[in-house]
Amino acid sequence: MNSRRDFLQKVSLGIGVTALAGLPATAAAPSVPLVRAEKQLRVAIMGLGGYANIVADAMQKCTMATLVGVVSGTPSKIDTWKKKYNIPDKNTYNYETVSELKNNPDIDIVYVTTPNSLHHKHVLQIAATGKHVICEKPVADNAKQTREMIAACEKAGVKFYIGYRLHFEPHTRELIRMRESGELGKIMHVNNYMGFKSGDPTQWRLKKALAGGGAMMDVGVYALNGARYCTGEEPIWVTAQETKTDPIKFKEVDETITFQLGFPSGVIANCGTTYNFNNFERLYVIGEKGFVELSPAFGYGPIKGRTNAGPMNMPPHVPHQTLQMDGLADIILNNKPDPHITGQEGLKDMIVVDAVYESIRKGGQKIFINKA
Protein backbone atom coordinates (compact mmCIF):
# COMPACT_ATOMS: atom_id res chain seq x y z
CA MET A 1 0.00 0.00 0.00
CA ASN A 2 1.41 3.35 -1.01
CA SER A 3 -0.29 5.53 1.59
CA ARG A 4 -2.83 5.85 4.36
CA ARG A 5 -5.34 6.90 1.71
CA ASP A 6 -4.78 3.67 -0.31
CA PHE A 7 -5.16 1.57 2.81
CA LEU A 8 -8.36 3.23 3.95
CA GLN A 9 -9.88 3.33 0.48
CA LYS A 10 -9.57 -0.45 0.27
CA VAL A 11 -11.87 -0.78 3.27
CA SER A 12 -14.28 1.88 2.04
CA LEU A 13 -16.91 -0.18 0.21
CA GLY A 14 -20.55 0.31 -0.69
CA ILE A 15 -23.04 3.16 -0.65
CA GLY A 16 -26.43 2.89 1.04
CA VAL A 17 -29.15 4.69 2.97
CA THR A 18 -29.15 5.89 6.57
CA ALA A 19 -31.04 8.14 8.92
CA LEU A 20 -29.33 8.70 12.26
CA ALA A 21 -31.10 9.92 15.35
CA GLY A 22 -30.47 13.65 15.60
CA LEU A 23 -28.88 13.80 12.14
CA PRO A 24 -30.38 14.27 8.67
CA ALA A 25 -30.84 11.43 6.21
CA THR A 26 -27.73 12.12 4.19
CA ALA A 27 -27.73 9.72 1.28
CA ALA A 28 -30.26 8.21 -1.04
CA ALA A 29 -30.38 4.77 -2.61
CA PRO A 30 -29.05 4.79 -6.19
CA SER A 31 -32.58 4.56 -7.62
CA VAL A 32 -33.91 7.51 -5.59
CA PRO A 33 -33.11 11.05 -6.76
CA LEU A 34 -31.10 13.10 -4.27
CA VAL A 35 -33.30 15.79 -2.73
CA ARG A 36 -31.33 18.73 -1.42
CA ALA A 37 -32.48 20.80 1.53
CA GLU A 38 -33.49 24.40 0.96
CA LYS A 39 -30.69 25.67 3.18
CA GLN A 40 -27.18 24.65 2.12
CA LEU A 41 -23.82 24.92 3.87
CA ARG A 42 -21.53 26.19 1.11
CA VAL A 43 -18.07 24.63 1.42
CA ALA A 44 -14.65 25.36 -0.06
CA ILE A 45 -11.81 22.86 0.32
CA MET A 46 -8.25 24.06 0.96
CA GLY A 47 -5.54 21.66 -0.20
CA LEU A 48 -6.56 19.36 -3.06
CA GLY A 49 -4.68 16.18 -2.14
CA GLY A 50 -5.90 12.61 -1.75
CA TYR A 51 -8.21 13.14 1.20
CA ALA A 52 -9.76 16.25 -0.35
CA ASN A 53 -10.84 14.09 -3.28
CA ILE A 54 -12.50 11.62 -0.92
CA VAL A 55 -14.38 14.44 0.83
CA ALA A 56 -15.43 16.05 -2.45
CA ASP A 57 -16.74 12.78 -3.90
CA ALA A 58 -18.65 11.99 -0.71
CA MET A 59 -20.19 15.47 -0.71
CA GLN A 60 -21.94 14.71 -4.00
CA LYS A 61 -24.31 12.58 -1.90
CA CYS A 62 -24.93 15.29 0.71
CA THR A 63 -28.34 16.89 1.05
CA MET A 64 -27.33 19.90 3.17
CA ALA A 65 -23.69 20.62 2.25
CA THR A 66 -22.48 21.74 -1.18
CA LEU A 67 -18.96 22.02 -2.56
CA VAL A 68 -18.67 25.49 -4.09
CA GLY A 69 -15.00 26.50 -3.94
CA VAL A 70 -11.34 25.44 -3.77
CA VAL A 71 -7.99 26.74 -2.56
CA SER A 72 -4.84 25.20 -4.05
CA GLY A 73 -1.30 26.09 -5.02
CA THR A 74 -1.51 23.88 -8.12
CA PRO A 75 -3.30 25.51 -11.09
CA SER A 76 -3.82 22.17 -12.86
CA LYS A 77 -5.71 20.81 -9.85
CA ILE A 78 -7.93 23.88 -9.77
CA ASP A 79 -8.75 23.39 -13.46
CA THR A 80 -9.59 19.72 -12.89
CA TRP A 81 -11.81 20.46 -9.90
CA LYS A 82 -13.60 23.31 -11.70
CA LYS A 83 -14.63 20.94 -14.46
CA LYS A 84 -15.41 17.94 -12.28
CA TYR A 85 -17.47 19.77 -9.66
CA ASN A 86 -18.76 22.75 -11.67
CA ILE A 87 -16.93 25.30 -9.52
CA PRO A 88 -17.04 28.90 -10.85
CA ASP A 89 -13.84 30.88 -11.39
CA LYS A 90 -14.83 33.42 -8.73
CA ASN A 91 -14.71 30.68 -6.07
CA THR A 92 -11.16 29.52 -6.82
CA TYR A 93 -8.12 30.76 -4.89
CA ASN A 94 -4.43 30.03 -4.45
CA TYR A 95 -2.39 30.42 -1.27
CA GLU A 96 -1.45 33.98 -2.18
CA THR A 97 -5.04 35.11 -2.81
CA VAL A 98 -6.76 33.23 0.01
CA SER A 99 -7.27 36.46 1.98
CA GLU A 100 -9.73 37.52 -0.71
CA LEU A 101 -12.20 34.96 0.60
CA LYS A 102 -13.44 37.67 2.92
CA ASN A 103 -15.06 39.37 -0.07
CA ASN A 104 -16.92 36.25 -1.26
CA PRO A 105 -20.43 35.87 0.21
CA ASP A 106 -20.96 32.55 -1.61
CA ILE A 107 -18.65 30.55 0.70
CA ASP A 108 -19.65 29.80 4.31
CA ILE A 109 -16.89 27.49 5.53
CA VAL A 110 -13.45 26.27 4.44
CA TYR A 111 -12.31 22.68 5.01
CA VAL A 112 -8.53 22.64 5.58
CA THR A 113 -7.07 19.35 4.31
CA THR A 114 -3.45 20.42 3.82
CA PRO A 115 -0.55 18.51 5.47
CA ASN A 116 -0.68 18.48 9.26
CA SER A 117 2.02 21.05 9.97
CA LEU A 118 0.31 23.59 7.72
CA HIS A 119 -2.99 23.43 9.60
CA HIS A 120 -2.01 26.09 12.12
CA LYS A 121 -1.04 28.63 9.46
CA HIS A 122 -4.01 27.92 7.23
CA VAL A 123 -6.66 27.96 9.96
CA LEU A 124 -5.36 31.35 11.12
CA GLN A 125 -5.58 32.60 7.52
CA ILE A 126 -9.15 31.37 7.08
CA ALA A 127 -10.29 32.74 10.43
CA ALA A 128 -8.97 36.16 9.39
CA THR A 129 -11.31 36.10 6.37
CA GLY A 130 -14.35 35.72 8.61
CA LYS A 131 -15.21 32.25 7.30
CA HIS A 132 -16.02 29.27 9.50
CA VAL A 133 -13.33 26.57 9.53
CA ILE A 134 -13.25 22.79 9.64
CA CYS A 135 -9.73 21.36 9.91
CA GLU A 136 -8.72 17.78 9.28
CA LYS A 137 -7.18 15.94 12.20
CA PRO A 138 -4.68 16.08 13.77
CA VAL A 139 -5.63 19.67 14.37
CA ALA A 140 -2.03 20.90 14.72
CA ASP A 141 1.51 19.93 15.72
CA ASN A 142 0.84 20.45 19.42
CA ALA A 143 -1.55 21.87 22.01
CA LYS A 144 0.08 25.32 21.94
CA GLN A 145 -0.72 25.76 18.26
CA THR A 146 -4.24 24.44 18.82
CA ARG A 147 -4.92 27.03 21.52
CA GLU A 148 -3.76 29.76 19.15
CA MET A 149 -6.12 28.45 16.45
CA ILE A 150 -9.06 28.39 18.86
CA ALA A 151 -8.26 31.92 20.05
CA ALA A 152 -8.02 33.23 16.48
CA CYS A 153 -11.40 31.76 15.56
CA GLU A 154 -12.99 33.14 18.72
CA LYS A 155 -11.53 36.60 18.03
CA ALA A 156 -12.86 36.50 14.46
CA GLY A 157 -16.28 35.29 15.62
CA VAL A 158 -16.17 32.15 13.44
CA LYS A 159 -16.90 28.53 14.28
CA PHE A 160 -14.02 26.04 14.41
CA TYR A 161 -14.51 22.31 13.91
CA ILE A 162 -12.26 19.25 13.51
CA GLY A 163 -12.83 16.47 10.96
CA TYR A 164 -13.83 13.80 13.47
CA ARG A 165 -15.94 11.88 10.94
CA LEU A 166 -16.43 8.90 13.28
CA HIS A 167 -18.52 11.05 15.60
CA PHE A 168 -21.20 10.83 12.88
CA GLU A 169 -20.67 7.12 12.10
CA PRO A 170 -23.58 4.82 13.21
CA HIS A 171 -21.59 2.11 15.03
CA THR A 172 -19.57 4.72 16.92
CA ARG A 173 -22.68 6.67 17.84
CA GLU A 174 -24.36 3.48 19.07
CA LEU A 175 -21.33 2.66 21.22
CA ILE A 176 -21.51 6.12 22.79
CA ARG A 177 -25.28 5.76 23.31
CA MET A 178 -24.80 2.40 25.05
CA ARG A 179 -22.13 3.82 27.32
CA GLU A 180 -24.15 6.94 28.17
CA SER A 181 -27.34 4.95 28.81
CA GLY A 182 -25.61 2.63 31.26
CA GLU A 183 -26.16 -0.48 29.15
CA LEU A 184 -22.49 -1.39 29.49
CA GLY A 185 -22.43 -0.65 33.20
CA LYS A 186 -19.28 0.73 34.78
CA ILE A 187 -16.50 0.80 32.19
CA MET A 188 -13.68 -1.51 33.24
CA HIS A 189 -11.20 -1.68 30.38
CA VAL A 190 -10.45 -0.25 26.92
CA ASN A 191 -8.15 -1.68 24.24
CA ASN A 192 -7.80 0.35 21.04
CA TYR A 193 -5.32 0.32 18.19
CA MET A 194 -5.00 1.71 14.68
CA GLY A 195 -2.20 1.44 12.14
CA PHE A 196 -1.05 0.25 8.75
CA LYS A 197 2.10 -0.35 6.73
CA SER A 198 3.24 2.90 5.19
CA GLY A 199 4.48 2.61 1.62
CA ASP A 200 6.24 5.38 -0.33
CA PRO A 201 9.26 6.47 1.74
CA THR A 202 9.21 9.92 0.09
CA GLN A 203 5.62 10.79 1.09
CA TRP A 204 4.96 13.91 3.16
CA ARG A 205 3.70 11.87 6.12
CA LEU A 206 7.26 10.72 6.78
CA LYS A 207 8.62 14.29 6.76
CA LYS A 208 8.44 15.87 10.20
CA ALA A 209 8.32 19.40 8.79
CA LEU A 210 5.00 18.59 7.09
CA ALA A 211 3.56 15.81 9.25
CA GLY A 212 4.50 17.02 12.72
CA GLY A 213 4.99 13.40 13.77
CA GLY A 214 4.42 9.89 12.53
CA ALA A 215 1.88 7.18 13.26
CA MET A 216 0.80 8.76 16.56
CA MET A 217 -0.19 12.05 14.92
CA ASP A 218 -1.77 10.47 11.85
CA VAL A 219 -3.75 7.46 13.09
CA GLY A 220 -2.85 7.04 16.76
CA VAL A 221 -5.23 9.91 17.44
CA TYR A 222 -8.08 7.54 16.45
CA ALA A 223 -7.18 5.14 19.25
CA LEU A 224 -6.78 8.05 21.66
CA ASN A 225 -10.04 9.74 20.72
CA GLY A 226 -11.76 6.37 20.85
CA ALA A 227 -10.54 5.76 24.41
CA ARG A 228 -12.03 9.08 25.40
CA TYR A 229 -15.48 8.34 23.94
CA CYS A 230 -15.38 4.78 25.27
CA THR A 231 -15.00 6.07 28.82
CA GLY A 232 -16.62 9.50 28.63
CA GLU A 233 -13.64 10.73 30.67
CA GLU A 234 -10.44 12.67 30.12
CA PRO A 235 -7.16 10.86 30.86
CA ILE A 236 -5.12 12.12 33.80
CA TRP A 237 -1.85 10.33 33.02
CA VAL A 238 -0.08 8.60 30.17
CA THR A 239 2.87 6.27 29.65
CA ALA A 240 4.23 5.52 26.18
CA GLN A 241 6.89 3.48 24.42
CA GLU A 242 8.23 3.66 20.86
CA THR A 243 9.59 0.84 18.69
CA LYS A 244 11.56 1.71 15.57
CA THR A 245 12.61 -1.25 13.41
CA ASP A 246 13.41 0.83 10.30
CA PRO A 247 15.43 3.86 11.45
CA ILE A 248 16.12 4.92 7.88
CA LYS A 249 12.55 5.07 6.59
CA PHE A 250 11.29 6.47 9.89
CA LYS A 251 14.25 8.71 10.57
CA GLU A 252 12.14 11.82 11.10
CA VAL A 253 8.91 10.41 12.55
CA ASP A 254 7.69 7.71 14.90
CA GLU A 255 7.04 4.21 13.52
CA THR A 256 5.22 2.23 16.23
CA ILE A 257 3.97 3.54 19.58
CA THR A 258 2.11 1.82 22.38
CA PHE A 259 0.59 3.99 25.08
CA GLN A 260 -1.49 3.61 28.19
CA LEU A 261 -4.04 6.14 29.42
CA GLY A 262 -5.17 6.39 33.03
CA PHE A 263 -8.65 7.82 33.71
CA PRO A 264 -10.15 9.30 36.91
CA SER A 265 -12.43 6.28 37.42
CA GLY A 266 -9.41 3.98 37.52
CA VAL A 267 -9.88 2.61 34.00
CA ILE A 268 -6.69 2.05 32.03
CA ALA A 269 -6.83 2.09 28.24
CA ASN A 270 -4.16 0.15 26.36
CA CYS A 271 -3.61 1.70 22.94
CA GLY A 272 -1.29 1.37 19.99
CA THR A 273 -0.48 2.76 16.58
CA THR A 274 1.95 1.91 13.78
CA TYR A 275 3.18 2.77 10.31
CA ASN A 276 4.90 -0.61 9.88
CA PHE A 277 2.28 -3.38 9.61
CA ASN A 278 -1.30 -4.00 8.57
CA ASN A 279 -4.31 -5.68 10.24
CA PHE A 280 -4.01 -3.37 13.23
CA GLU A 281 -7.41 -1.76 13.73
CA ARG A 282 -9.74 -2.50 16.64
CA LEU A 283 -11.74 -0.88 19.43
CA TYR A 284 -12.77 -2.97 22.44
CA VAL A 285 -14.50 -1.60 25.52
CA ILE A 286 -15.57 -3.79 28.44
CA GLY A 287 -18.10 -2.80 31.09
CA GLU A 288 -19.53 -4.62 34.10
CA LYS A 289 -22.70 -5.41 32.11
CA GLY A 290 -21.39 -5.92 28.60
CA PHE A 291 -18.90 -5.05 25.88
CA VAL A 292 -18.60 -3.48 22.43
CA GLU A 293 -16.06 -4.51 19.83
CA LEU A 294 -15.57 -2.64 16.55
CA SER A 295 -13.26 -4.24 14.01
CA PRO A 296 -12.61 -2.55 11.61
CA ALA A 297 -13.13 0.40 13.93
CA PHE A 298 -11.54 3.54 12.51
CA GLY A 299 -11.13 3.25 8.73
CA TYR A 300 -13.43 4.61 6.08
CA GLY A 301 -15.72 1.62 6.39
CA PRO A 302 -17.74 -0.37 6.45
CA ILE A 303 -17.24 -0.47 10.22
CA LYS A 304 -18.22 -3.81 11.75
CA GLY A 305 -19.31 -4.30 15.33
CA ARG A 306 -20.62 -6.72 17.91
CA THR A 307 -21.73 -6.51 21.52
CA ASN A 308 -22.48 -8.98 24.27
CA ALA A 309 -26.01 -9.14 22.77
CA GLY A 310 -24.74 -10.07 19.30
CA PRO A 311 -23.88 -8.31 16.01
CA MET A 312 -24.56 -4.58 15.74
CA ASN A 313 -27.22 -4.25 13.06
CA MET A 314 -26.67 -0.79 11.63
CA PRO A 315 -28.09 0.81 8.45
CA PRO A 316 -26.24 0.16 5.16
CA HIS A 317 -22.88 1.86 4.83
CA VAL A 318 -22.78 5.51 3.78
CA PRO A 319 -19.45 7.29 3.22
CA HIS A 320 -18.39 8.79 6.54
CA GLN A 321 -17.55 12.09 4.92
CA THR A 322 -21.12 12.36 3.61
CA LEU A 323 -22.46 11.90 7.12
CA GLN A 324 -19.87 14.28 8.54
CA MET A 325 -20.52 17.14 6.14
CA ASP A 326 -24.30 16.87 6.30
CA GLY A 327 -24.07 16.56 10.06
CA LEU A 328 -21.87 19.66 10.22
CA ALA A 329 -24.37 21.53 8.04
CA ASP A 330 -27.17 20.56 10.40
CA ILE A 331 -25.15 21.86 13.36
CA ILE A 332 -24.38 25.21 11.76
CA LEU A 333 -27.62 25.84 9.87
CA ASN A 334 -30.13 24.33 12.30
CA ASN A 335 -28.32 24.64 15.64
CA LYS A 336 -28.26 20.88 16.16
CA PRO A 337 -26.14 19.56 19.06
CA ASP A 338 -22.42 19.26 18.42
CA PRO A 339 -21.23 15.62 18.81
CA HIS A 340 -17.83 16.74 20.16
CA ILE A 341 -16.12 17.94 16.98
CA THR A 342 -15.10 21.49 17.96
CA GLY A 343 -11.60 22.88 18.22
CA GLN A 344 -11.81 22.23 21.96
CA GLU A 345 -12.19 18.52 21.23
CA GLY A 346 -9.09 18.67 19.07
CA LEU A 347 -7.24 20.43 21.87
CA LYS A 348 -8.10 17.63 24.32
CA ASP A 349 -6.50 15.11 21.99
CA MET A 350 -3.41 17.24 21.35
CA ILE A 351 -2.79 17.71 25.08
CA VAL A 352 -2.55 13.92 25.37
CA VAL A 353 -0.46 13.57 22.19
CA ASP A 354 2.02 16.04 23.68
CA ALA A 355 2.15 13.90 26.83
CA VAL A 356 2.68 10.72 24.78
CA TYR A 357 5.74 12.22 23.10
CA GLU A 358 7.02 13.58 26.41
CA SER A 359 6.75 10.12 27.99
CA ILE A 360 8.73 8.61 25.10
CA ARG A 361 11.44 11.26 25.44
CA LYS A 362 11.65 10.41 29.14
CA GLY A 363 11.98 6.66 28.61
CA GLY A 364 8.34 5.70 29.20
CA GLN A 365 7.93 7.74 32.38
CA LYS A 366 4.39 8.32 33.62
CA ILE A 367 3.33 11.84 32.64
CA PHE A 368 0.54 13.48 34.54
CA ILE A 369 -1.54 15.51 32.14
CA ASN A 370 -1.74 19.26 32.65
CA LYS A 371 -4.87 20.58 30.93
CA ALA A 372 -4.09 24.24 31.63
Side-chain angles (χ1 to χ4, degrees), residues 137 162-168 172 175-176 179 190 192-194 216 218-235 259 261 263 269 271-272 283 298 339-350 352-353:
K137 59 102 230 67
I162 313 302
Y164 287 119
R165 57 183 167 79
L166 290 170
H167 290 227
F168 299 94
T172 304
L175 181 160
I176 295 171
R179 190 259 301 161
V190 174
N192 295 343
Y193 40 86
M194 175 58 173
M216 184 66 216
D218 189 16
V219 289
V221 72
Y222 286 115
L224 161 58
N225 194 258
R228 292 178 49 239
Y229 58 68
C230 279
T231 60
E233 298 183 276
E234 298 303 325
F259 58 101
L261 305 173
F263 292 90
C271 304
L283 176 152
F298 304 114
H340 303 293
I341 62 164
T342 66
Q344 290 292 340
E345 182 76 7
L347 174 60
K348 291 174 183 177
D349 277 344
M350 291 313 303
V352 181
V353 170

Side-chain angles (χ1 to χ4, degrees), residues 7 15 39 72 100 102 104 120 196 199 237 263 271 318 341:
F7 165 72
I15 297 171
K39 292 191 295 183
S72 175
E100 296 174 13
K102 65 178 180 294
N104 191 334
H120 175 259
F196 65 98
W237 59 260
F263 292 90
C271 304
V318 174
I341 62 164

Side-chain angles (χ1 to χ4, degrees), residues 23-24 26 168 322-332 336-337:
L23 292 177
T26 56
F168 299 94
T322 306
L323 299 175
Q324 171 189 304
M325 297 310 293
D326 262 350
L328 179 63
D330 213 17
I331 292 167
I332 294 175
K336 289 295 179 68

